[in-house]
Amino acid sequence: CIELVPEHLEAHFNLGNLLEEEGHEAEALEHYLAAFRANPQHPDLQVNMALLYEKLGRTDRAERHWRRYLQLDASGPWADVARRRLSHSGPPEPES
């Protein structure tokens, strides 16, 4: 699918999930970033990116995606998790 439609959001998202589950975090991140370029407004993608960035120790990036998730879906299934994660971080960084 990605070969036919390189900007296919769901294909990159699903492949990223599979790669992350298999322990290939760097490759998973590449596919999440491709999905993000296709649609930065996808709430579930924000969650996956935040969790992966946390796993990689990149909390600044994780916090941005938790905040973005809350902007997109403040009452969604991950909203409480996002708020808890953000409450353990420092003050919000200015949006750029």
Side-chain angles (χ1 to χ4, degrees), residues 42-75:
H42 192 283
D44 291 339
L45 177 59
Q46 303 302 323
V47 171
N48 285 43
M49 291 182 78
L51 291 170
L52 181 54
Y53 277 128
E54 285 180 353
K55 191 185 299 184
L56 296 172
R58 298 183 64 186
T59 55
D60 58 328
R61 293 280 183 173
E63 290 168 10
R64 285 187 211 158
H65 289 284
W66 286 126
R67 284 189 187 89
R68 178 74 142 197
Y69 175 79
L70 290 173
Q71 290 172 344
L72 297 170
D73 196 4
S75 61

